[in-house]
């Protein structure tokens, strides 16, 4: 699981730096549609489709290379593949400049081996970086983890049946991304 989580970090890092300059045939457009889907059964793709993005942020498709690596991350590890219901990822830009990336993982089985899916991801990704100083963070009603790793900020936010993993250039950018996730899941409370 540790190797797979590190692969996800690489994918998001590649996606964050290359999302604005790639062309793909699928366009993602921000939406203001409010879903009637109960947050307890919300899938990762439903969460992404129904998120209300902050006005200055724009989701963009990841590069084909990043998408292929993401598929490998999920489906090459049998433990992760068995626990995951769906996965979506987007790059995020502000004024056409890459800002970061957001990976949403729908989790069917919250326990893998002797630890929770979120704890395993947190240990493998955030705690594995030697320079990371991991701390607890709150976005709306939800609590997750955030760490500064080199020049990037990484964060993990358990949001009901979905786990959000974000990489951005600053803590403010992470906060803006994960506040949007929290608002969608909790109804803005």
């Amino acid at each position: 699981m540790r190797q797979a989580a590190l692969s996800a970090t690489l994918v998001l890092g590649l996606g964050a730096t290359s999302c604005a300059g790639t062309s793909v045939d699928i366009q993602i457009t921000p939406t203001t549609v409010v879903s009637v889907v109960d947050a307890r059964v919300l899938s990762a793709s439903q969460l992404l489709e129904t998120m209300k993005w902050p006005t200055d942020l724009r989701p963009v498709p990841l590069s084909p290379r990043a998408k292929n690596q993401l598929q490998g991350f999920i489906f090459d590890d049998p433990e992760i593949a068995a626990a995951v219901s769906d996965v979506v990822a987007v790059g995020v830009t502000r004024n056409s400049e890459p800002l970061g990336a957001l990976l949403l993982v729908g989790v069917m089985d919250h326990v893998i081996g002797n630890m929770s899916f979120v704890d395993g991801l947190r240990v493998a990704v955030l705690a594995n970086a030697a320079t990371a100083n991991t701390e607890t963070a709150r976005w709306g009603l939800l609590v997750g983890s955030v760490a500064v790793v080199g020049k990037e900020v990484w964060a993990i936010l358990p949001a009901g049946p979905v786990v959000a993993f974000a990489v951005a250039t600053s803590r403010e950018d992470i906060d803006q991304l994960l506040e949007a996730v929290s608002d969608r899941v909790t109804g803005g409370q």
Side-chain angles (χ1 to χ4, degrees):
M1 182 162 181
R2 179 172 295 199
Q3 181 179 2
L6 291 174
S7 297
T9 304
L10 174 63
V11 168
L12 286 174
L14 288 172
T17 59
S18 65
C19 63
T22 60
S23 61
V24 293
D25 54 358
I26 300 172
Q27 287 293 329
I28 297 175
T29 53
T31 180
T32 55
V33 174
V34 177
S35 174
V36 294
V37 177
D38 186 343
R40 292 172 295 189
V41 295
L42 190 67
S43 72
S45 56
Q46 289 171 325
L47 175 58
L48 181 63
E49 291 169 3
T50 59
M51 271 184 58
K52 183 175 180 181
W53 291 89
T55 56
D56 60 335
L57 299 185
R58 183 170 185 269
V60 296
L62 291 177
S63 69
R65 179 178 172 201
K67 282 184 184 180
N68 288 339
Q69 287 182 335
L70 178 63
Q71 287 175 348
F73 152 65
I74 295 299
F75 298 112
D76 287 350
D77 185 315
E79 287 181 325
I80 291 179
V84 170
S85 60
D86 68 328
V87 178
V88 291
V90 293
V92 181
T93 63
R94 177 182 289 128
N95 302 324
S96 300
E97 293 294 320
L99 171 96
L102 179 65
L103 171 69
L104 300 173
V105 181
V107 181
M108 292 184 310
D109 185 357
H110 291 273
V111 178
I112 297 177
N114 62 352
M115 65 174 53
S116 76
F117 185 89
V118 173
D119 288 339
L121 192 60
R122 184 180 298 119
V123 166
V125 176
L126 298 180
N128 193 46
T131 60
N133 187 11
T134 305
E135 60 185 59
T136 301
R138 179 176 292 279
W139 295 282
L141 296 177
L142 303 178
V143 176
S145 299
V146 66
V148 176
V149 181
K151 294 182 179 183
E152 296 176 334
V153 180
W154 298 355
I156 296 174
L157 179 64
V162 177
V163 177
F165 178 64
V167 176
T169 53
S170 72
R171 174 65 191 260
E172 293 79 22
D173 295 335
I174 285 287
D175 289 345
Q176 197 172 17
L177 278 170
L178 294 180
E179 282 288 341
V181 171
S182 177
D183 285 350
R184 171 56 190 94
V185 172
T186 63
Q189 296 180 12

